[in-house]
């Protein structure tokens, strides 16, 4: 069976990897759009602290986080060991004791069904600062042991290379969906028709325009995120936890070699406007330095821009499209795509290859079916 995956961000690269492991003949196409979310995403994997009540979102996000270690081990077995993944824990900051207690209790309650949440402990400001030294000394927190971080760029690259090692072919360029009546027959790439039994649209924030050409209105909007990287030089930051400051939605995390990531803006309605703005930089710095004044003397490295693919609700848009055979959509991952992308991509592969997906995809239908 031949499958074309359009988009090699985390969703598409994961889909190509999973499909090639399932024995499909895979073609992975990408247009290298500026603002690919996967190349800008912070990489926090900690869905249990999100204020999301939707049970379908939670089931998918928790399952995705649970399956991460197996994915990382699988890639390591294929020689892909450099993906920036580490279970470093997270500090959910909360000034007031009653807020810390509320957070702790909620996490402990969720842990019954999600043991991967790991250790949940209240920490004093001094203890939190020992784990993440640039923090304010009074930044008390709840520690979440199971939280991890990953480098989206490296992971997507590793998944695509691993897929190629299983026989997948990578093509560069802008794909257009090719349909024949009620069936997708492949994509056209620079005038060449590449035929396939199924196509997966893992086209991120570009999904609406990709599908519009085939007459489909799938509502995905771009939400710009600007995110800053700062170097702390020779500091050993490799095991510093993620810092989740709460209501503002801003956060900090650390990778190896002194690299700190401070994010991020959430610019709803931005469209695909690929720019770094003074207001974006000011917002990131104000939020980061208020929590971690110790970053003030670091070295500014870069600011990345990514377009989060936002569906009409919190849920990803995942599954076949009614009335158009051979097309599966895998997008709408919003602010949690580096967490959910690997599982989402793998479920999309299963659906596209005609297998029963490991999780019921009905709640994630990209378009309502004829009978609903
Ligand atoms: C600043 C920021 C911080 C984030 N932090 C986190 C985080 O901490 N944790 C977390 O879980 N998530 C986070 N996210 C969210 C996550 O990064 C995204 O949800 C995820 O990367 C989306 O992946 P994707 O594969 O759907 O889309 P993308 O990564 O955008 O990939 C889509 C790909 O499709 C290609 N494409 C589009 N149209 C075509 C076409 N016609 N032909 C060929 N190719 C095409 C593009 O070139 C692109 O490469 C963050 C996002 C941002 C922006």
């Amino acid at each position: 069976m031949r499958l074309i995956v359009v988009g090699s961000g985390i969703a598409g690269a994961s889909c190509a990897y999973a499909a090639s492991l399932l024995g499909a003949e895979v073609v992975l196409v990408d247009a290298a759009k500026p603002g690919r979310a996967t190349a800008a995403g912070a990489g926090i994997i900690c869905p249990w602290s999100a204020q999301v009540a939707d049970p379908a979102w939670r089931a998918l996000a928790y399952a995705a986080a649970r399956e991460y270690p197996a994915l990382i081990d699988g890639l390591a077995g294929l020689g892909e060991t450099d993906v920036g993944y580490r279970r470093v824990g997270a500090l959910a900051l909360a000034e007031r004791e009653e807020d810390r207690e509320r957070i702790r209790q909620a996490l402990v309650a969720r842990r019954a069904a999600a043991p991967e949440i790991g250790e949940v402990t209240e920490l004093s400001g001094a203890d939190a600062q020992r784990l993440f030294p640039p923090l304010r000394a009074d930044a008390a927190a709840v520690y979440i042991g199971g939280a991890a971080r990953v480098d989206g760029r490296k992971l997507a690259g590793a998944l695509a290379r691993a897929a190629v090692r299983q026989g997948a072919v990578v093509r560069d360029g802008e794909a257009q969906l090719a349909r024949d009546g009620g069936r997708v027959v492949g994509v056209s790439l620079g005038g060449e028709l590449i035929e396939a039994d199924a196509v997966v649209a893992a086209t991120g924030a570009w999904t609406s325009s990709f599908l519009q050409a085939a007459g489909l209105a799938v509502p995905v909007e771009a939400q710009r995120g600007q995110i800053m990287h700062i170097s702390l030089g020779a500091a050993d930051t490799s095991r510093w936890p993620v810092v989740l400051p709460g209501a503002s939605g801003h956060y900090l995390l650390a990778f190896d070699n002194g690299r700190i990531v401070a994010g991020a803006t959430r610019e709803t309605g931005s469209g695909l406007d690929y720019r770094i703005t003074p207001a974006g930089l000011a917002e990131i710095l104000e939020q980061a330095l208020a929590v971690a004044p110790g970053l003030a003397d670091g070295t500014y490295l870069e600011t990345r821009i990514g377009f989060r693919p936002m569906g009409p609700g919190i849920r990803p848009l995942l599954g076949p499209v009614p009335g158009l055979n051979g097309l599966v959509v895998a997008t709408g991952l919003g602010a949690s795509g580096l967490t959910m992308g690997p599982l989402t991509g793998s479920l999309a592969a299963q659906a596209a290859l005609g297998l029963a997906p490991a999780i019921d995809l009905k709640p994630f239908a990209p378009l309502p079916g004829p009978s609903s």
Side-chain angles (χ1 to χ4, degrees):
M1 173 144 186
R2 190 168 214 217
L3 177 66
I4 297 174
V5 181
V6 184
S8 65
I10 191 70
S14 300
C15 179
Y17 174 62
S20 63
L21 288 180
L22 287 167
E25 188 189 333
V26 177
V27 181
L28 177 61
V29 186
D30 196 278
K33 305 266 192 194
R36 171 202 276 194
T38 300
I44 301 167
I45 303 167
C46 185
W48 320 288
S49 59
Q51 308 282 329
V52 178
D54 179 37
W57 183 93
R58 278 201 195 183
L60 187 65
Y62 289 17
R66 190 177 313 128
E67 292 185 13
Y68 240 91
L71 173 77
I72 301 299
D73 285 352
L75 285 172
L78 294 170
E80 295 292 347
T81 52
D82 182 19
V83 296
Y85 176 84
R86 180 162 285 153
R87 191 175 183 265
V88 288
L91 300 171
L93 303 189
E95 256 172 52
R96 298 185 322 169
E97 197 178 341
E98 60 262 40
D99 290 338
R100 290 196 295 281
E101 185 51 20
R102 183 180 43 75
I103 294 169
R104 192 189 67 76
Q105 279 181 12
L107 287 163
V108 167
R110 283 169 202 162
R111 194 171 56 184
E116 58 279 3
I117 290 175
E119 180 187 341
V120 176
T121 330
E122 284 194 45
L123 295 184
S124 67
D127 285 339
Q129 198 188 39
R130 256 191 290 282
L131 294 176
F132 197 102
L135 281 182
R136 271 178 15 206
D138 61 347
V142 178
Y143 178 75
I144 310 165
R149 48 83 168 154
V150 70
D151 182 324
R153 283 186 187 190
K154 287 185 174 177
L155 180 59
L159 287 160
R161 280 192 302 276
V164 167
R165 239 175 267 135
Q166 309 295 317
V169 172
V170 170
R171 299 285 305 266
D172 300 330
E174 175 102 19
Q176 284 171 325
L177 209 53
R179 67 181 286 183
D180 182 2
R183 165 146 217 104
V184 164
V185 293
V187 301
S188 129
L189 191 67
E192 175 196 355
L193 175 66
I194 309 176
E195 288 179 293
D197 301 295
V199 173
V200 173
T203 35
W206 297 269
T207 301
S208 286
S209 53
F210 178 64
L211 295 178
Q212 208 168 25
L216 295 172
V218 175
V220 180
E221 288 198 357
Q223 182 195 65
R224 184 170 62 197
Q226 301 181 55
I227 186 163
M228 189 180 290
H229 290 225
I230 295 166
S231 170
L232 292 182
D236 179 5
T237 51
S238 58
R239 291 180 186 278
W240 289 10
V242 171
V243 178
L244 303 167
S248 73
H250 279 253
Y251 47 75
L252 300 164
L253 65 157
F255 286 89
D256 297 354
N257 304 319
R259 183 175 281 257
I260 304 294
V261 178
T265 63
R266 289 183 182 224
E267 300 168 71
T268 302
S270 64
L272 296 163
D273 183 7
Y274 186 76
R275 287 185 306 128
I276 298 169
T277 65
L281 296 178
E283 179 186 323
I284 297 166
L285 283 173
E286 188 187 336
Q287 297 281 344
L289 296 180
V291 171
L295 295 177
D297 196 35
T299 303
Y300 171 82
L301 292 176
E302 61 174 317
T303 298
R304 295 182 182 178
I305 307 160
F307 299 115
R308 300 181 187 91
M310 310 299 287
I314 186 80
R315 293 180 189 174
L317 302 174
L318 174 60
V321 174
L324 189 53
N325 290 335
L327 176 67
V328 168
V329 171
T331 189
L333 298 176
S336 305
L338 293 180
T339 304
M340 295 200 275
L343 178 58
T344 300
S346 153
L347 292 167
Q350 291 162 14
L353 299 179
L355 305 169
I359 288 181
D360 179 17
L361 299 187
K362 276 194 215 82
F364 307 104
L367 284 176
S371 57
S372 52

